[in-house]
Amino acid sequence: MPCADDEAGRIAGEARRALEICNACQFCDGYCAVFSALKSRSLVLAADLTFLSNLCHNCRSCYHACQYAPPHAFDLNLPKSLSLVRQQSYRDHVWPPVLRGRLPGAGWSFVAAVTLAAMALVALPAVLSLPAEVLFGRHDGPGAFYRLVPWGAIAGVAGAVMLWSLLAIGFSVASFWRGMGPAPAGAALWPALRDALRDAASLRNLGGGGAGCNDRDERFSQARRRFHHALFYGVGLCFAATGVATVYDHGLGWQAPYPLLSLPVLLGSVGGVGMVVGTAGLALLKRRADPGPVARSLTGGDCALLAQLFLVAASGLGLLAMRETAAMGPLLLVHLGLVLGWFATLPYSKFLHAPFRVAALLRAAMEQKHSPPLTRKRSLR
Amino acid sequence: MVFLPGWVEPLAGSLWEFDPVLGSFCAKAGALPCVAGLGPSQRRPSGSKAMAMTGVPYDCDVLVVGGGNAALCAAIAARRAGAAVLLLEAAPKALRGGNARHSRNMRVMHDAPTPWVRGRYPADDYLADLRRVAGNADDGLARLFVDASADIVDWLAGNGVRFQSCADEVLPYSRKTAFFLGGGKALVNALYATADGLGVAIRYDSTVRGLHLRDGAPAVTVGEPGVTVTARALVVASGGFQADSGWLRREWGEAADRFAIRGTPHATGIPLKALLDEGAEPVGAADRCHMVAVDGRAPPFDGGIVTRLDGIAHGIVVDRDGRRFADEGAVVGPSRYTAWGELVARCPGAVAISIFDAAIETRFRPSIFPAIRADSIGELARDLGISPPALEATVAGFNAAITGGGGTAGVDPPKTRLAEPITVPPFGAYPVRAGVTSTCLGVRVDERARVLRRDGAGLEGVYATGVVMAPNILGCGYLAGGAMTVGAVFGRIAGREAAAYALR
Ligand SMILES: Cc1cc2nc3c(=O)[nH]c(=O)nc-3n(C[C@H](O)[C@H](O)[C@H](O)COP(=O)(O)OP(=O)(O)OC[C@H]3O[C@@H](n4cnc5c(N)ncnc54)[C@H](O)[C@@H]3O)c2cc1C
Ligand code: SF4
Ligand code: SF4
């Protein structure tokens, strides 16, 4: 498709132009790691675009602080340029490779289609095989969920989809890692990994050198960082809940549903609330954001992931609240379908942001702090 | 924060009226056509007495002309001192802030390390640096300035400006300057937000066309067709005149047409000229500019920091006749930009060309504009529109004169450092021009930032800050980070003094 190539070339060219101007300026070097990584490059190659665009976390500070932002003749918009390249990098490194260049822009329609298919996959067998009084009946006591959907089916299907997704993400990240160009020779991997994970866990860069992000306009705030934390740790707690539940079930032989004050329910509900608050907050910030530094074409994919996570969490919380009523059956099917849909889209949605960003942080840490001094300045000099 | 009582009271006979829809005060329709033409104004500033003894209504206590760093510091200081403040900025909102948008750091005195500046930079060191660049500038004023610079970072931080931690590894070591986090536009954004929050009335697209200082209270004419705005006190913070091409041409001749102006197109010096016409004593020099060497393809205005040419010292520089005219290795430190600005401004046609080869090119940061390249020096000359034999002769002569130690022998002018032969194709070139930062003409002020007449008396109620008075401190010299400090320090003084005068 020559047309798509042209578009990719235009996006890359624009980002390169912006980065070259930024490299001559470097006024924003206090905001994030992009600028110091840029400083050690006197030419911006394709691999550098892949790296730098994923090192940018789209805080937009450098747009509001930029004397060359529109209406200046240079028309510089670094956050927008980098988010377009970043989006391109998700598509370039998708796995399996046959999908490269073919994956439709992973926006609303893709996410919605996969999610609906997953929901159908979960609901149809139950609806077809179970009598209405079971489906809409009240169930309690251990094993209540499994009377509707057998444990083997849940674990088997979800496990298989998750396994595929993890594999696909793993291959994508490997391809992305190579796409950033050769890692600096002699860099210490483990200390760098420790730094990168610390940055990822604390979202240090969203602190913007102390001031926070430009969530909405030229004023700074920590709102985005807080909502992102709520979402990130919310997802973490939900996975922890699932993990503990699996141990209870298989290790200890205690079957779900668990009492309200049990560990899996506590972890899951705190995590679920975190996800609901985080996704809703991030979506609200997106709606209110100054459109200047935003690439419109990406909003769909961003919002699709947020909506997916919101629905997963909300349906989970709903299930908890209504598990002793007749709504339990339908809610369980909806929740499981949403979870399965989310698992299935992971390697093809905006979710790639998470592993790619950690990989970029790792690369930055290897370059900046953990390389022998001489190799740090990779340049023509 | 200072919140003043009664700031929502409308003033009888003033230009402001309460807009029930917006819940704020607006310029009355027709009262300030050009200013008000921008739509609803900000909140009305704090009311003081509406009438002077004469019964003439004032539009504000303190009127600030300009919208850069100096103007904002003055407006905030005056507002915090209790005055009703109106700020008139010639630029539209998106391009507000004057040259401060392009600035990076400010030079401050400090006796011990701070979170923002390393080491120590005692007053005596600062004064010595000032004397070195400024020559015979006013010593008393310089001392006051240096002392006041000590807490200006804290004052700005208290007004919302964020500074970059000096522990940040990305910063170059500096014991003299504090860096604005995100650069000067971030500073400008923060100061506007603070001024607005305090209730300073801010008007964009509001060029002051004339000052009226003769009979009683100062007044200005704004916009086209002119509207008169009266004030109890006036702070002029409108920068230099580098954006007035006619005036620049009168001082520099036709060379001025080739200059790029690195900052705002709104610094046309109308208020400066008006002050001089009213008898203010000039300081500095009309025919001097701060300039640096920029890529000749820089935009005519607002090219800022990124059009500077980094690598001039590495290759050779020729004029439009293909001849070298200066020792390229004479200055290799940070002042190389300035040194070349002046040299190029005085070249025939005020243009020059930086020439290098593929080997030399790897030693400097490239221009943001692509290099002009060719496989031979002759071709390069043709592409540049200069005589091929002349350039070939220059390059051959230069290459032949290179000695072992990075210098030359037997060529005039010599190149005393970084001399390397120009032999590896493709050869490259950048056109070079002088990029003007600002002009060096200002008005005399006293330690209260009052504008002084030639006879030593003050112009009643008229204050100045920023580039419009900077030569009092800096002469015609350039001290990195000094200009922003002058604007902030004297802005704070001018604002307080103007408020005190207005509310006396
Ligand atoms: C590229 C560049 C980099 C720089 N870097 C630094 C640095 O790192 N550190 C440093 O100390 N200095 C630096 N400077 C210099 C510094 O920016 C200026 O000295 C400082 O901003 C001057 O401030 P000012 O407010 O006096 O004048 P200006 O910034 O020139 O502002 C003048 C203001 O007045 C307004 N104005 C002009 N005429 C009128 C009128 N008739 N009516 C209404 N409004 C009017 C303009 O629109 C503008 O807002 C730099 C300058 C440039 C160009
Ligand atoms: S975004 Fe603008 S201000 Fe920031 S480094 Fe780039 S060019 Fe400079
Ligand atoms: S948007 Fe934020 S993270 Fe991205 S380059 Fe700009 S300052 Fe860095």
Side-chain angles (χ1 to χ4, degrees):
Chain A
M1 281 198 297
C3 188
D5 284 353
D6 280 2
E7 179 66 3
R10 201 189 53 73
I11 287 173
E14 177 55 30
R16 193 170 286 135
R17 183 188 73 98
L19 287 166
E20 277 164 9
I21 294 178
C22 289
N23 212 0
C25 171
Q26 286 283 352
F27 279 14
C28 293
D29 61 5
Y31 284 137
C32 76
V34 167
F35 297 91
S36 47
L38 179 61
K39 201 179 243 165
S40 58
R41 294 160 158 78
S42 59
L43 282 184
V44 180
L45 311 174
D48 302 323
L49 286 182
T50 304
F51 169 43
L52 296 172
S53 66
N54 280 280
L55 199 53
C56 163
H57 52 81
N58 202 15
C59 74
R60 297 174 285 233
S61 300
C62 65
Y63 171 80
H64 292 287
C66 186
Q67 64 274 30
Y68 303 118
H72 190 281
F74 288 170
D75 198 27
L76 199 114
N77 195 334
L78 191 62
K80 188 170 172 177
S81 298
L82 290 183
S83 48
L84 289 167
V85 178
R86 189 161 57 237
Q87 166 76 2
Q88 202 75 43
S89 73
Y90 301 155
R91 293 190 200 170
D92 288 349
H93 298 287
V94 90
W95 191 87
V98 298
L99 291 176
R100 290 184 190 155
R102 280 173 217 224
L103 202 66
W108 276 112
S109 43
F110 170 77
V111 168
V114 174
T115 307
L116 285 174
M119 290 173 78
L121 184 70
V122 172
L124 278 183
V127 171
L128 294 180
S129 68
L130 294 176
E133 57 275 19
V134 177
L135 207 51
F136 297 105
R138 286 157 172 270
H139 304 269
D140 40 31
F145 295 155
Y146 308 135
R147 264 168 252 151
L148 288 152
V149 190
W151 186 86
I154 300 183
V157 175
V161 170
M162 195 58 179
L163 197 65
W164 167 273
S165 290
L166 286 178
L167 266 180
I169 291 174
F171 283 118
S172 289
V173 171
S175 162
F176 170 70
W177 184 260
R178 288 190 300 274
M180 289 190 290
L189 180 65
W190 295 110
L193 188 62
R194 188 195 55 215
D195 284 1
L197 290 179
R198 196 173 42 221
D199 282 355
S202 66
L203 298 178
R204 184 177 63 85
N205 283 281
L206 278 181
C213 256
N214 291 86
D215 304 329
R216 288 174 62 174
D217 51 25
E218 75 256 19
R219 287 166 300 180
F220 292 89
S221 96
Q222 300 280 356
R224 186 151 167 262
R225 188 181 189 185
R226 298 207 174 107
F227 287 131
H228 196 293
H229 268 318
L231 173 58
F232 179 85
Y233 288 104
V235 171
L237 288 177
C238 289
F239 272 110
T242 314
V244 172
T246 311
V247 171
Y248 276 15
D249 200 317
H250 296 274
L252 306 173
W254 305 338
Q255 281 202 327
Y258 300 106
L260 278 183
L261 288 179
S262 66
L263 198 54
V265 173
L266 282 177
L267 289 173
S269 35
V270 174
V273 170
M275 284 174 69
V276 165
V277 170
T279 48
L282 289 173
L284 201 69
L285 286 179
K286 243 180 223 314
R287 262 183 73 93
R288 298 223 177 123
D290 178 342
V294 176
R296 285 222 152 274
S297 56
L298 307 187
T299 312
D302 293 1
C303 290
L305 179 61
L306 288 177
Q308 229 180 355
L309 289 166
F310 177 87
L311 290 175
V312 165
S315 61
L317 290 173
L319 183 61
L320 176 64
M322 316 265 246
R323 63 184 180 174
E324 269 144 37
T325 72
M328 189 274 260
L331 269 174
L332 179 68
L333 297 180
V334 167
H335 180 64
L336 290 178
L338 285 166
V339 172
L340 191 67
W342 178 49
F343 283 0
T345 53
L346 284 180
Y348 310 109
S349 74
K350 161 85 191 275
F351 180 79
L352 280 182
H353 147 76
F356 278 27
R357 179 146 173 74
V358 173
L361 282 171
L362 173 61
R363 181 60 73 91
M366 286 170 76
E367 268 189 16
Q368 297 293 321
K369 275 201 255 154
H370 302 290
S371 285
L374 273 179
T375 58
R376 268 187 221 174
K377 211 160 181 85
R378 188 228 67 177
S379 73
L380 294 174
R381 282 162 215 232
Chain B
M1 240 201 259
V2 186
F3 279 110
L4 298 141
W7 65 272
V8 286
E9 269 168 48
L11 291 190
S14 81
L15 293 171
W16 312 96
E17 66 185 5
F18 190 73
D19 181 328
V21 181
L22 293 159
S24 64
F25 286 90
C26 285
K28 269 185 190 167
L32 267 177
C34 138
V35 196
L38 289 165
S41 78
Q42 270 76 20
R43 263 154 291 158
R44 202 214 141 254
S46 158
S48 54
K49 287 175 275 341
M51 306 275 177
M53 296 303 192
T54 55
V56 179
Y58 293 104
D59 298 313
C60 55
D61 296 328
V62 174
L63 175 61
V64 180
V65 179
N69 166 57
L72 287 160
C73 290
I76 289 170
R79 183 76 189 105
R80 287 199 183 279
V85 182
L86 172 63
L87 178 142
L88 299 176
E89 157 66 307
K93 183 175 180 194
L95 297 171
R96 66 188 180 183
N99 286 356
R101 284 155 40 76
H102 296 289
S103 69
R104 179 65 165 119
N105 57 9
M106 66 197 305
R107 184 177 289 245
V108 290
M109 183 270 266
H110 57 115
D111 282 323
T114 80
W116 323 115
V117 215
R118 295 177 191 242
R120 46 196 298 270
Y121 186 41
D124 287 341
D125 290 11
Y126 202 148
L127 281 167
D129 284 341
L130 272 178
R131 277 190 209 109
R132 194 168 38 77
V133 302
N136 53 0
D138 186 323
D139 215 47
L141 218 51
R143 207 164 271 282
L144 172 139
F145 162 73
V146 167
D147 289 343
S149 77
D151 71 340
I152 201 69
V153 165
D154 287 341
W155 187 80
L156 286 167
N159 284 303
V161 177
R162 298 193 187 257
F163 289 84
Q164 205 161 335
S165 162
C166 64
D168 195 336
E169 288 159 17
V170 298
L171 283 182
Y173 177 87
S174 170
R175 72 175 179 104
K176 300 181 178 177
T177 58
F179 289 76
F180 316 128
L181 180 64
K185 189 176 171 195
L187 167 138
V188 164
N189 287 342
L191 291 179
Y192 270 104
T194 299
D196 183 44
L198 290 170
V200 171
I202 297 162
R203 295 304 159 79
Y204 301 106
D205 295 283
S206 300
T207 306
V208 167
R209 312 249 171 227
L211 305 185
H212 316 287
L213 311 177
R214 293 271 159 90
D215 346 282
V220 305
T221 309
V222 195
E224 207 77 71
V227 171
T228 302
V229 182
T230 55
R232 292 163 191 269
L234 176 67
V235 179
V236 179
S238 52
F241 68 84
Q242 63 276 5
D244 179 348
S245 55
W247 193 346
L248 216 52
R249 201 179 304 121
R250 284 198 293 284
E251 307 295 341
W252 285 84
E254 291 197 347
D257 296 346
R258 300 274 157 72
F259 295 172
I261 307 304
R262 303 174 67 212
T264 177
H266 297 281
T268 50
I270 299 169
L272 167 64
K273 178 157 189 314
L275 286 175
L276 295 170
D277 290 348
E278 294 281 351
E281 183 185 347
V283 290
D287 60 353
R288 293 286 306 279
C289 289
H290 296 299
M291 33 198 178
V292 301
V294 299
D295 191 302
R297 295 158 291 181
F301 293 101
D302 266 329
I305 200 84
V306 301
T307 59
R308 287 194 310 193
L309 284 178
D310 176 47
I312 289 186
H314 289 274
I316 61 168
V317 182
V318 299
D319 61 18
R320 64 182 179 190
D321 302 321
R323 280 191 298 252
R324 288 179 61 241
F325 54 91
D327 172 6
E328 294 89 347
V331 193
V332 292
S335 51
R336 66 191 186 280
Y337 299 110
T338 318
W340 280 99
E342 309 246 340
L343 283 167
V344 172
R346 298 187 194 284
C347 263
V351 291
I353 298 138
S354 159
I355 306 231
F356 44 86
D357 70 2
I360 294 171
E361 192 175 354
T362 60
R363 307 216 170 90
F364 58 83
R365 187 179 52 67
S367 170
I368 60 163
F369 299 100
I372 298 158
R373 281 177 221 281
D375 285 329
S376 72
I377 293 292
E379 254 177 82
L380 189 66
R382 250 188 309 280
D383 292 348
L384 293 165
I386 58 185
S387 146
L391 188 61
E392 280 164 349
T394 299
V395 171
F398 173 76
N399 286 347
I402 288 176
T403 61
T408 57
V411 66
D412 186 43
K415 181 170 182 184
T416 50
R417 266 179 291 188
L418 303 176
E420 300 271 348
I422 299 174
T423 47
V424 188
F427 302 96
Y430 294 127
V432 192
R433 287 193 195 196
V436 178
T437 310
S438 61
T439 46
C440 299
L441 177 66
V443 294
R444 171 89 54 211
V445 296
D446 66 8
E447 71 289 352
R448 288 154 67 192
R450 287 190 311 164
V451 178
L452 300 181
R453 288 202 312 248
R454 287 189 185 81
D455 59 13
L459 278 172
E460 272 295 288
V462 183
Y463 301 80
T465 176
V467 159
V468 78
M469 51 66 65
N472 286 275
I473 305 296
L474 300 170
C476 295
Y478 172 79
L479 195 62
M484 289 293 286
T485 312
V486 170
V489 161
F490 282 94
R492 183 170 57 162
I493 296 174
R496 284 176 184 164
E497 293 290 336
Y501 177 85
L503 303 175
R504 75 193 183 280

